[in-house]
Each structure stands twice: as structure tokens, then as C-alpha cells.
Amino acid sequence: MTTAAFWDKAAEKYAKDPISDMESYTQTLDIMKDLLQPQHRVLEIGCGTGSTALELAPQVDRYIGTDISSNMVEIATEKLADTNLDHLSFQVAQAHDLPGTGHDVVLALNLLHLVENMGETLGSIYDALPSGGIFISKSALLGEGSWYLGPMIALMRAVGKAPFVARFSEAELIRMMEHAGFTITQTIKQDGMAPRLFVVAQKP
């Protein structure tokens, strides 16, 4: 099963499931709301069904959300129809295939651990931003998670119940971002079965 097919199949359930850790989600959402400015043009890759985009879009100039799953994008677009956010749009795209130009901020929330081509994805994000542009991400640190997560995910993936998931630690993720050229300006580590690392980075 391809990655897109997996998320297409999961989209309806994903849209209905509540956020598992609302406190952590709210913490990082509030930080992003403080960072985003009215003039910012934002690109979110891996936007899922658009919940975060709908929260953040009202305070920026332009917001584009992309996802590999056409079903996810369809659900996000249906949600958008109930708003007056004319400057928000959703489209299908690969994580490393960034649409349009003129992005001041790129978001990759709960995404980087799901991409198989991390170097290419980080390079595309870096190239899409101007000097001073902001890259915000939140990633699961499977390399620091419970020992049984690796075998469990491998088994689930073998039967089509899980997507590809990369294993890396906080230090490894930071090193990959810095290798791509980013300067790290803020990190927040959130506890869990697999810790999550929220990172604010900037293109020099």
C-alpha cells in the first residue's frame, strides 16, 4: 500500500478522532499564534484534515495547506466551505513538492517522522523560504520512545495498519535540520510514549 493510499483509507477515521493530547496541542498552537504575523504567507505541508490551518489562517495574509492524501484534502476543503477564509486553500502535494512561491513560514506538524526522504524534504523547505524565513515543525521522536514501538510499528505496517515511520532522536533531528542550513531558535520537548519535539528554525 502506498503512503497516499494508507492516508486516504485513514482519512475519515482521522477526521473523527479527538486530539489525543489537547494540552500539548494547545501549548504549541499558542506559540505559533504568537509567532505568526498579519503579513505572513504560510505554507503547511502534511495539513491532514485542516484543523490547525483553520485555527491559524485568520491571523495571516495567505495560508496554503497541502497533504499527500486527496481524501484528507477533500475533508479539509469541506470544512473550509463553512468559513469566510478566502485566503486559505488546500491542495494535494508530496511533502517535498512545495507549491507556489513567496512563503514566509513553512509548517510541518506531526510530519517529518512520516517522510521517507527527509533530506529532500528539508532541502525543499529551505529552498522555498527567503532569508529570515521561518520553519516550524513538530515531530515524534521514535528513537527515544518505548523499546517496543519499533517492532510494533513494523508489524502493523506489514499488515497495512501503519505507515512508514522514521526513528530518530532529538539530537539526530536537530542535526538534520542544521545540515539542511537552518538555525534552530526554539525547541520544546513534550513527554509521551514517543516524545514529540517542537522546533522553530530560521533560514539565515
Side-chain angles (χ1 to χ4, degrees):
M1 182 184 297
T2 66
T3 301
F6 174 87
W7 290 112
D8 278 342
K9 185 176 179 180
E12 187 173 346
K13 182 178 184 300
Y14 180 90
K16 293 177 181 177
D17 285 346
I19 294 171
S20 58
D21 186 349
M22 181 58 75
E23 182 178 354
S24 294
Y25 175 76
T26 301
Q27 179 189 27
T28 51
L29 185 69
D30 288 344
I31 293 170
M32 289 188 286
K33 286 181 177 178
D34 287 340
L35 288 169
L36 295 179
Q37 301 299 314
Q39 74 276 13
H40 278 154
R41 296 160 297 176
V42 178
L43 170 66
E44 182 185 355
I45 57 176
C47 68
T49 57
S51 297
T52 299
L54 292 165
E55 288 280 350
L56 296 176
Q59 65 186 72
V60 300
D61 180 63
R62 187 200 70 195
Y63 198 116
I64 300 171
T66 73
D67 200 276
I68 194 174
S69 165
S70 59
N71 287 356
M72 292 278 193
V73 169
E74 182 179 353
I75 293 170
T77 303
E78 289 172 356
K79 292 181 182 179
L80 179 60
D82 294 328
T83 75
N84 61 352
L85 298 172
D86 295 334
H87 64 296
L88 170 61
S89 62
F90 296 104
Q91 56 188 274
V92 178
Q94 297 278 343
H96 60 275
D97 184 18
L98 307 189
T101 58
H103 311 300
D104 303 302
V105 182
V106 175
L107 309 180
L109 307 174
N110 298 306
L111 175 73
L112 293 181
H113 55 281
L114 299 175
V115 301
E116 299 185 50
N117 48 354
M118 175 75 87
E120 183 179 7
T121 298
L122 290 175
S124 294
I125 294 168
Y126 185 88
D127 291 342
L129 287 168
S131 178
I134 300 170
F135 173 39
I136 302 174
S137 65
K138 189 174 184 179
S139 309
L141 302 175
L142 272 293
E144 299 181 16
S146 301
W147 67 269
Y148 55 83
L149 285 178
M152 182 180 72
I153 291 171
L155 178 61
M156 292 176 66
R157 192 178 180 209
V159 296
K161 297 296 184 182
F164 168 85
V165 182
R167 294 177 59 85
F168 47 72
S169 65
E170 176 180 0
E172 288 168 334
L173 178 57
I174 294 298
R175 185 161 58 248
M176 286 186 282
M177 289 185 176
E178 290 178 337
H179 180 73
F182 289 105
T183 299
I184 309 303
T185 60
Q186 182 179 5
T187 63
I188 296 175
K189 196 171 187 178
Q190 297 175 327
D191 294 331
M193 186 182 301
R196 291 184 182 268
L197 187 69
F198 178 79
V199 181
V200 180
Q202 191 167 38
K203 180 175 178 175

